[in-house]
Each structure stands twice: as C-alpha cells, then as structure tokens.
C-alpha cells in the first residue's frame, strides 16, 4: 500500500503556521513527481527554451555578492549543464567568457507558472496540499537551479514564511533569528521590494567593520534531496549550493502580518526612490536590483502606499467581523500568494490578500500547538554552539534519523528582469560599506553619502515605527 506520511495535512499546516524556528520535514514528499525534476529532466521539459542565469565569482570576498555586482546571461539548461561539467570553455555560447573554475551560475527565482506556461499539467507535480494548503501547486511556486558555489546574499523576506523542497544536490542554509537583525547590519541598498539585505558576508565576515556580527546566532543546516525546510517569518538566511548541480522548489505562505509589512515596504520604496533618483545618474551607483525594472515615480509610489494602507484597514475590519479579507476566488487568492515580490509579479497591495478562513492564518497560534513533534520526521535546526566553527554545519540525513555535526572552516537576475547586461567590479563598494561600526568614517574616507542616510532612515525599526504612526494617523 501507499506509504503513510508522518504528518496529516492538518498537522503539517499547524506546524508551519505555529513554529517560530526553522525545521526540516522528512519523509513527506516521497510520492511527489517533482522529485524527478533534476536539471537533465528539466532541460528536456524546457526543450531548448532559454532562461536567465546570474553569474558571480567563486572567490570569497568580505563584501557580499549582491545581484547588482553579478553578470547575467540567457542560456538553455543544456548549455548550462555542458558548462557545469567543468570542461574547458567552448569558443562560443553564452558561458564562453566565464570559466567554470572561477564562476558560479544561478537560474534563481523562476516562476514555474511562467516558464512552464505551455505545460500547465506539470504544476501538479508539486503538491503543497500535503502540508495543508489545498490547491497550491507548482503554479504558486518558484524554481532555483544553480552550480556549485551559487548563492543568495544574506537577507530576510518581508512577506510570509517559506517552504523549500530540495530536489537535486545539497544546499547549505545559514539562518539567523529576527532578534539578530541589528547584528546583521540591515540595508536597503541594493533596493528590491520585500528583501532586506545584510551588509555582512556571513561566509567571510568583516568583523572589523561589523563587530556586532559576533553576537549573531547562526542556525546552519545542509538540506538534502527529498527534505523540506521551513523558514519562519523574518528569519535571515544565506543560501549556498554545495554540490555541482542543485535544484530547489519553494513557495511563500502569506501571513496576516504581511498587510502591515506591505505598508512598510511602500514607505521604504518612496524614500529610497526619492533620494536615490535625485542623485546624479552618471555616478554609476547601481542601487536598484535588476529585479526592480518597472517604471516608477513619486506619484506611482504614493498611490502604492495608499493602496497598501487601504488594504491593511480592509483586512483589519474583515478580521474584526470575522469575514474574509477578499471576495476574490480561491484560485485568484492562491495565485497572489505565489508573488513574494508583489510589484515584480504585477500585484497591487489591494489584490494580494487571502481570506482568513482559507488558510486560517489567525487560527494557529504557538500556544495551540501543545508540543512540537520534533523527531525523525521533523528535525529542529539548532543554533550553533560556541565551540562550533562560525561556518560549521548541521546536516540532516536523508532518512531523517540522525543529525551529523560537521566542523568545517568554509565551504533569489530573475524572471521579470530586463535584457540589459549589468556588470560591476567586485571591488566597487558604496561608502556605506566602508563605514566603521560606530558610524564615523576614518579620515581617508569621503563625507556621508545618500546610502549612509538611507541605512539610518529606512532601518527596519525606523520604518516599523513610521508605519504605525502613519496607520494611526489614517485611523484617526
């Protein structure tokens, strides 16, 4: 007979909506057709279709490799696989200028609904219904395909919690709790809606400039094929591919708190765009992430802010009367949830809502889960001990029975990106990166920059206070 999963959909959903620390689900997806989605299988499914890859250097610098410092190429998965074999570069082709030994490549943040729009039947290969979200499939998910060393800079997502299925290869996740935010030196440059980046390269931290990072508590886990990682709301994460080829699928689960988060994001967008667009464009400061390509203006951003505020109050009113926050259909609501970057995916704040009754975001509170069922099927991602190396790992065995502690010293352009090639030198850093921890530059450094001001002005704590004051003003 069929294998019985360790958690029913209802219990799995209860864990996802209640747990405030990262954990790995084991033995929950063994019958998912998506487990066949290795890079070769996907290459055959795409049948020569090109997708965009982000390329970065494998050398480890003290400055994070943000997307603004990467190179972008369009290529087929077949070309990517040939290049990633490590053979000498071909004389032609999209990867010909990038030696495999020096570069990694990442086809990250690819909406499955878009890249397989001509094959909608494949959406059903992904079955998030097993985690208590009926109707959610590959259509509400994104795909990540990378080579060894491919990474996402340390950041937190403003919206939702995250479920990540590892399909091929292994990825190492470095997670930090929301309480460590000040130790991670948050910044909004480069700017991208819904992503708050850390100035610290957690893989090679510059403790001279970022001494508070010593206080951060890393939770490190190596995710293997067939496992699903839960990343709770506002947990920081740096993710790196540690095998030659990795494939992952993820989906963001919208939360009630996202309504206020969208107001905060709208305020941040207004401030960042207003100040940065006032600078001389010839300065060459690539402050806008390649994902943020839509035309914007102060008027557009103000409209966005007003819609976010209106959506917040509409949902607040609906919650009080215990009515759904939206009258749209379930299918439309689930489609909106898949857009972590709401503006990139074409959603407006008033449209990106879920009714409280559909996923029950207000229903599951931590106190209702009498005991978290940690064990062989739900592995807790523990904080590293003081004795463990700063880049040590906790690897979860594929059968979920043990934890393997390793002591190693060292080892999401996207879908709606413009075709413009963006190249920057890796030693081109903003003045904000050169500030001392106490905020005072040394004598050899230039005066305060726009980025320095923005780092203070749009600090998450400041923006949260401004949002509450703004909402209070609107309520009155």
């Amino acid at each position: 007979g069929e294998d019985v999963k360790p958690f029913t959909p209802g219990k799995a959903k209860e864990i996802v909506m209640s747990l405030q620390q990262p954990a790995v689900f084991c033995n929950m997806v063994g019958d998912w057709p998506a487990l066949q989605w290795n890079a070769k299988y996907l290459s055959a499914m795409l049948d020569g279709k090109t997708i965009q890859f982000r390329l970065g250097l494998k050398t480890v610098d003290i400055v994070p490799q943000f997307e603004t410092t990467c190179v972008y190429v369009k290529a087929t998965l077949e070309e990517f696989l040939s290049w990633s074999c490590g053979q000498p570069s071909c004389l032609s082709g999209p990867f010909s200028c990038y030696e495999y030994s020096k570069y990694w490549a990442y086809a990250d943040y690819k909406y499955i609904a878009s890249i397989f729009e001509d094959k909608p039947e494949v959406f059903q290969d992904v079955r998030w219904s097993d985690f208590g979200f009926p109707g959610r499939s590959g259509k509400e998910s994104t795909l990540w395909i990378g080579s060894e060393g491919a990474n996402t800079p340390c950041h937190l997502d403003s919206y939702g919690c995250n479920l990540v299925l590892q399909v091929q290869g292994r990825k190492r996740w470095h997670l930090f709790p929301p309480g460590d935010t000040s130790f991670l030196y948050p910044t909004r440059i480069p700017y991208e809606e819904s992503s708050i980046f850390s100035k610290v390269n957690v893989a090679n931290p510059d403790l001279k400039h970022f001494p508070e990072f010593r206080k951060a508590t890393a939770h490190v886990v190596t995710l293997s094929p067939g496992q699903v990682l839960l990343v709770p709301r506002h947990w920081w994460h740096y993710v790196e591919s540690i095998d030659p080829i990795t494939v992952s699928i993820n989906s963001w689960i919208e939360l009630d708190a996202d309504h206020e988060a969208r107001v905060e994001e709208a305020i941040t967008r207004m401030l960042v765009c207003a100040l940065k667009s006032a600078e001389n464009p010839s300065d060459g400061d690539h402050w806008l992430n390649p994902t943020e390509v839509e035309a914007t203006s102060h008027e557009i951003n103000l409209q966005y802010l007003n819609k976010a505020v209106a959506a917040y109050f509409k949902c607040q009113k609906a919650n009080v009367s215990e009515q759904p926050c939206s009258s749209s259909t379930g299918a439309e609501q689930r489609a909106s949830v898949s857009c972590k970057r709401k503006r990139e995916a074409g959603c407006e704040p008033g449209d990106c809502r879920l009714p409280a009754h559909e996923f029950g975001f207000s229903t599951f509170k931590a106190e209702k889960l009498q005991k978290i069922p940690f064990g062989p099927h739900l592995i807790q991602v523990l904080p590293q001990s003081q004795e463990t190396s700063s880049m040590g790992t906790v690897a979860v065995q594929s059968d979920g029975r043990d934890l393997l502690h390793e002591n190693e010293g060292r080892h999401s352009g996207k879908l709606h990106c413009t075709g413009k090639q963006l190249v920057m030198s890796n030693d081109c850093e903003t003045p904000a990166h050169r500030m001392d921890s106490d905020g005072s530059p040394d004598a050899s450094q230039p005066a305060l920059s726009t980025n320095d001001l923005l780092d203070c002005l749009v600090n998450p704590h400041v923006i949260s206070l401004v949002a509450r004051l703004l909402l209070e003003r609107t309520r009155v």
Side-chain angles (χ1 to χ4, degrees):
E2 289 188 11
D3 292 336
V4 177
K5 297 184 186 295
F7 304 111
T8 64
K11 188 66 174 179
K13 177 181 173 182
E14 188 178 356
I15 294 168
V16 169
M17 304 309 295
S18 303
L19 196 55
Q20 298 302 306
Q21 64 184 93
V24 176
F25 286 91
C26 301
N27 308 313
M28 283 290 290
V29 298
D31 59 347
W32 286 24
L35 284 184
Q36 303 173 31
W37 285 24
N38 59 44
K40 288 185 178 179
Y41 182 88
L42 291 170
S43 177
M45 277 209 295
L46 287 170
D47 192 25
K49 185 176 183 178
T50 61
I51 54 178
Q52 185 158 259
F53 288 84
R54 174 167 62 95
L55 280 79
L57 288 167
K58 287 184 176 179
T59 54
V60 181
D61 197 356
I62 59 174
V63 178
Q65 284 196 67
F66 293 120
E67 291 173 51
T68 49
T69 64
C70 291
V71 180
Y72 296 88
V73 301
K74 287 195 173 182
T76 65
L77 266 182
E78 185 178 4
E79 290 169 326
F80 165 74
L81 288 170
S82 298
W83 173 78
S84 63
C85 288
Q87 298 172 350
S89 298
C90 300
L91 296 178
S92 61
F95 292 103
S96 59
C97 297
Y98 309 102
E99 192 176 329
Y100 176 77
S101 62
K102 296 180 180 179
Y103 287 87
W104 49 258
Y106 211 1
D108 52 353
Y109 217 108
K110 299 291 179 275
Y111 283 103
I112 293 174
S114 297
I115 61 175
F116 294 118
E117 58 186 350
D118 57 337
K119 296 182 174 68
E121 65 277 5
V122 307
F123 299 158
Q124 302 311 313
D125 288 3
V126 183
R127 302 172 178 173
W128 297 115
S129 56
D130 285 345
F131 287 84
F133 303 101
R136 184 180 291 252
S137 65
K139 188 176 182 180
E140 295 83 24
S141 307
T142 50
L143 182 66
W144 311 69
I145 307 167
S147 65
E148 184 178 2
N151 64 81
T152 302
C154 188
H155 68 285
L156 69 80
D157 301 321
S158 302
Y159 308 140
C161 61
N162 192 3
L163 286 174
V164 187
L165 165 65
Q166 193 62 27
V167 176
Q168 179 180 2
R170 295 169 300 156
K171 278 186 174 177
R172 187 167 295 147
W173 287 71
H174 302 258
L175 301 118
F176 302 87
D180 283 358
T181 293
S182 62
F183 306 147
L184 287 156
Y185 298 83
T187 183
R188 295 312 299 259
I189 304 297
Y191 174 75
E192 167 189 290
E193 192 200 354
S194 82
S195 294
I196 303 174
F197 292 101
S198 168
K199 292 184 191 177
V200 183
N201 181 353
V202 300
N204 186 31
D206 180 356
L207 296 177
K208 177 182 177 181
H209 289 93
F210 308 116
E212 293 292 294
F213 180 68
R214 290 187 178 93
K215 301 178 183 178
T217 304
H219 296 61
V220 184
V221 63
T222 299
L223 199 65
S224 298
Q227 297 172 343
V228 175
L229 173 66
L230 165 64
V231 182
R233 182 176 188 263
H234 285 183
W235 272 71
W236 292 83
H237 46 285
Y238 165 81
V239 191
E240 181 184 23
S241 298
I242 59 175
D243 281 332
I245 301 291
T246 62
V247 176
S248 308
I249 297 170
N250 87 294
S251 191
W252 282 274
I253 311 299
E254 187 170 276
L255 304 171
D256 278 341
D258 291 347
H259 294 285
E260 185 170 348
R262 283 190 204 98
V263 176
E264 295 175 357
E265 284 297 309
I267 295 169
T268 300
R269 185 180 187 86
M270 281 196 71
L271 294 172
V272 172
C273 292
L275 288 175
K276 293 302 290 184
S277 60
E279 289 187 322
N280 188 337
S282 64
D283 289 346
D285 180 14
H286 297 278
W287 62 273
L288 192 65
N289 243 24
T291 53
E292 299 290 323
V293 298
E294 73 277 5
T296 189
S297 67
H298 183 76
E299 182 180 7
I300 291 173
N301 290 337
L302 186 59
Q303 290 175 358
Y304 187 66
L305 173 61
N306 277 283
K307 288 183 178 180
V309 170
Y312 171 85
F313 282 113
K314 185 175 182 179
C315 191
Q316 289 288 100
K317 184 178 179 180
N319 283 341
V320 169
S321 60
E322 296 184 349
Q323 294 297 319
C325 295
S326 170
S327 59
S328 57
T329 67
E332 290 170 340
Q333 292 150 359
R334 286 190 294 272
S336 73
V337 174
S338 69
C339 316
K340 182 185 76 98
R341 293 174 185 165
K342 303 297 180 182
R343 289 181 62 90
E344 179 191 356
C347 300
E348 291 293 344
D351 300 326
C352 296
R353 299 184 296 276
L354 270 181
H357 73 277
E358 183 172 3
F359 288 160
F361 297 128
S362 301
T363 303
F364 298 121
K365 302 296 182 184
E367 61 267 24
K368 289 199 173 184
L369 202 59
Q370 296 297 322
K371 184 179 179 182
I372 302 294
F374 291 123
H377 306 298
L378 183 68
I379 308 297
Q380 185 178 10
V381 181
L382 297 170
Q384 289 181 298
S385 66
Q386 296 296 323
E387 294 77 23
T388 306
S389 162
S390 63
M391 293 300 289
T393 66
V394 177
V396 183
Q397 300 289 67
S398 59
D399 61 3
R401 287 194 299 251
D402 334 273
L403 293 179
L404 172 64
H405 295 269
E406 303 171 358
N407 188 13
E408 300 178 359
R410 252 284 301 145
H411 42 280
S412 245
K414 295 170 178 123
L415 195 68
H416 298 279
C417 200
T418 176
K420 178 181 177 182
Q421 296 297 310
L422 190 149
V423 186
M424 283 184 65
S425 168
N426 277 327
D427 51 10
C428 178
E429 56 177 346
T430 66
H433 290 134
R434 297 193 292 268
M435 294 294 291
D436 286 333
S437 61
D438 62 359
S440 58
D442 64 41
S444 64
Q445 292 176 338
L448 289 170
S449 69
T450 306
N451 289 1
D452 298 324
L453 174 61
L454 282 171
D455 278 338
C456 299
L457 196 59
V458 296
N459 180 284
H461 297 301
V462 176
I463 290 296
S464 178
L465 176 60
V466 173
R468 291 176 188 178
L469 290 171
L470 192 64
L471 290 170
E472 189 63 34
R473 174 185 292 264
T474 309
R475 183 181 286 112
V476 173

